Amino acid sequence: MLRNSLFLIVLAAFAVIAFTLVNAWHPAESLSPVAEHYATNGPTEVGAANLVTAVVVTYRGFDTLGEVTILFVTAAIIGFFLSLFHSESPEQTDRLMPASEILSTASKLLIPFMLVLGIYVFVNGHLTPGGGFQGGAIIASAFVLLLLADPLSKLNHRIIAMVESVSGVAFVLIGLLGIFLAGGFLDNRILDLGTFGALLSAGVIPLLYIFIGLKVGSELTNIIGHLQQTQKNR
Amino acid sequence: MHWFSLEYIAMNLGFLLILIGLWGIITRKNILRIIISFSLFDTGTHIVIVAIGYIRNRTAPILDTLALQKDTASKIVDPLPQALVLTAIVIGLGVTALLLVYAMKLFETKKTLDIHRFNDLKW
């Protein structure tokens, strides 16, 4: 009883805080000075039609590098954590139920299209909604479907690790090239900015987003692959 | 009447999700439900941050038409909160994945997901 009333007091306190915050908040009438700089100078400085991409990859590219690093560390910890307790035990695979006919047929049909959609989303990240993280998530979902349809299939962890590390190193190298050839770390003006709104425009943003997409896709696939391997031993 | 405009609806729903998530985190006993509550909390903060950047009668910050490309600053919503939320979603995904793997390990050691059974550090 005392416990429940304590919970209630904590929740009520948070509700009061939230209500005061919303009550005192006024919707913005115009852009903040930083956003105004992005809106007026973004097209000429960065050349990306999608301003969110300009902010994520160029203006705050360092944040994105940290974000990719956090995702990498997460994947590494999960891989370490799961392999620590699941050292090669004899596999009991006979208890797994086979996937239904519909699922296995549909996965064969859908997986190529899902991979193409993922690649489309991250290649066009500087023009349309989407980008490396979204495209990478779509690619990883294709592999989830593959594992659902055939739970015994083995993902090749060596290839995944290779794609992941190559794209991570390429991301940092392109960033370092920016110091020598353009204005600073992760500056996108190493290549020509090109015509605004074309597929090959905005300097190295498409290239960077391809590497981010491959990295995120392989990291998420890696996590799922590790989880699936532990399921086999049950 | 302003409580029924889009930015207030989004803001209130965001805070409501945060409160529901908090309630779940402190009252639920099953670890999986605590993780789901954490996800709700996470989503609530995302909605609140995006609602802060919203400006009435403006469009998304994607300059795909010629009309949007001149006098841009008076036609688009704030792109900065959207970029921050994009980062936050990915970090949330990583944290949720770690929580789930940790819950899996906890289940393997005690064969239960009841949070009250894990009292080894309690005195």
Side-chain angles (χ1 to χ4, degrees):
Chain A
M1 201 59 223
L2 174 72
R3 199 187 185 81
N4 283 339
S5 48
L6 275 179
F7 290 158
L8 219 66
I9 291 170
V10 170
L11 280 177
F14 265 86
V16 168
I17 292 172
F19 179 77
T20 341
L21 280 176
V22 179
N23 210 24
W25 173 70
H26 293 289
E29 298 289 325
S30 60
L31 292 181
S32 63
V34 184
E36 203 170 324
H37 175 90
Y38 293 160
T40 45
N41 302 330
T44 47
E45 277 179 1
V46 180
N50 185 347
L51 279 182
V52 179
T53 296
V55 175
V56 167
V57 183
T58 301
Y59 286 120
R60 305 187 72 91
F62 202 61
D63 286 7
T64 306
L65 186 60
E67 183 186 353
V68 170
T69 313
I70 286 180
L71 207 57
F72 167 71
V73 171
T74 309
I77 291 174
I78 289 176
F80 170 72
F81 209 47
L82 290 179
S83 63
L84 198 62
F85 298 93
H86 288 275
S87 47
E88 301 303 314
S89 53
E91 292 174 5
Q92 302 172 338
T93 51
D94 47 351
R95 268 192 283 162
L96 279 172
M97 260 185 17
S100 75
E101 186 68 35
I102 297 173
L103 185 59
S104 51
T105 313
S107 77
K108 273 183 203 131
L109 187 72
L110 282 177
I111 285 171
F113 288 107
M114 287 166 84
L115 290 177
V116 169
L117 176 67
I119 292 168
Y120 174 85
V121 165
F122 65 64
V123 167
N124 283 286
H126 58 304
L127 303 176
T128 53
F133 295 100
Q134 296 89 325
I138 294 173
I139 286 181
S141 66
F143 285 103
V144 173
L145 190 59
L146 179 74
L147 289 182
L148 281 179
D150 182 11
L152 295 182
S153 64
K154 261 195 151 85
L155 297 175
N156 191 335
H157 282 286
R158 187 170 291 173
I159 291 178
I160 295 174
M162 193 99 89
V163 171
E164 186 181 336
S165 28
V166 165
S167 47
V169 169
F171 186 19
V172 177
L173 277 184
I174 291 173
L176 285 176
L177 270 181
I179 298 180
F180 301 113
L181 302 179
F185 189 61
L186 282 171
D187 195 328
N188 71 326
R189 284 170 292 188
I190 303 170
L191 301 174
D192 193 34
L193 284 190
T195 41
F196 187 78
L199 182 60
L200 289 175
S201 68
V204 286
I205 285 183
L207 213 57
L208 278 179
Y209 248 174
I210 288 172
F211 286 127
I212 293 176
L214 287 177
K215 191 164 169 56
V216 171
S218 52
E219 269 158 4
L220 297 182
T221 311
N222 211 358
I223 293 176
I224 292 153
H226 277 302
L227 284 172
Q228 175 238 8
Q229 274 186 351
T230 62
Q231 291 306 302
K232 266 196 236 170
N233 300 342
R234 237 350 73 101
Chain B
M1 271 321 273
H2 69 274
W3 288 97
F4 294 101
S5 57
L6 185 61
E7 59 267 37
Y8 277 98
I9 292 173
M11 202 79 171
N12 288 325
L13 278 180
F15 275 113
L16 192 68
L17 273 182
I18 290 178
L19 282 178
I20 294 172
L22 192 72
W23 169 79
I25 288 172
I26 59 178
T27 59
R28 295 298 92 187
K29 293 181 178 59
N30 189 320
I31 292 177
L32 283 183
R33 291 183 191 201
I34 294 176
I35 295 172
I36 292 170
S37 309
F38 167 80
S39 274
L40 284 178
F41 197 116
D42 204 33
T43 314
T45 52
H46 298 160
I47 293 175
V48 168
I49 296 174
V50 169
I52 290 173
Y54 179 77
I55 304 173
R56 297 205 84 185
N57 300 325
R58 295 201 184 185
T59 184
I62 295 169
L63 316 178
D64 51 353
T65 58
L66 277 175
L68 261 181
Q69 284 167 21
K70 39 188 179 229
D71 200 18
T72 309
S74 64
K75 285 173 187 158
I76 59 167
V77 301
D78 199 339
L80 196 56
Q82 302 190 6
L84 293 180
V85 165
L86 179 58
T87 312
I89 289 172
V90 177
I91 307 288
L93 172 81
V95 174
T96 313
L98 271 182
L99 286 175
L100 285 172
V101 171
Y102 193 51
M104 224 168 100
K105 284 292 141 196
L106 288 180
F107 182 77
E108 260 173 30
T109 51
K110 288 209 172 165
K111 298 295 169 203
T112 176
L113 280 174
D114 187 349
I115 194 84
H116 292 303
R117 298 282 302 280
F118 295 93
N119 47 9
D120 305 318
L121 286 177
K122 209 172 174 181
W123 69 86

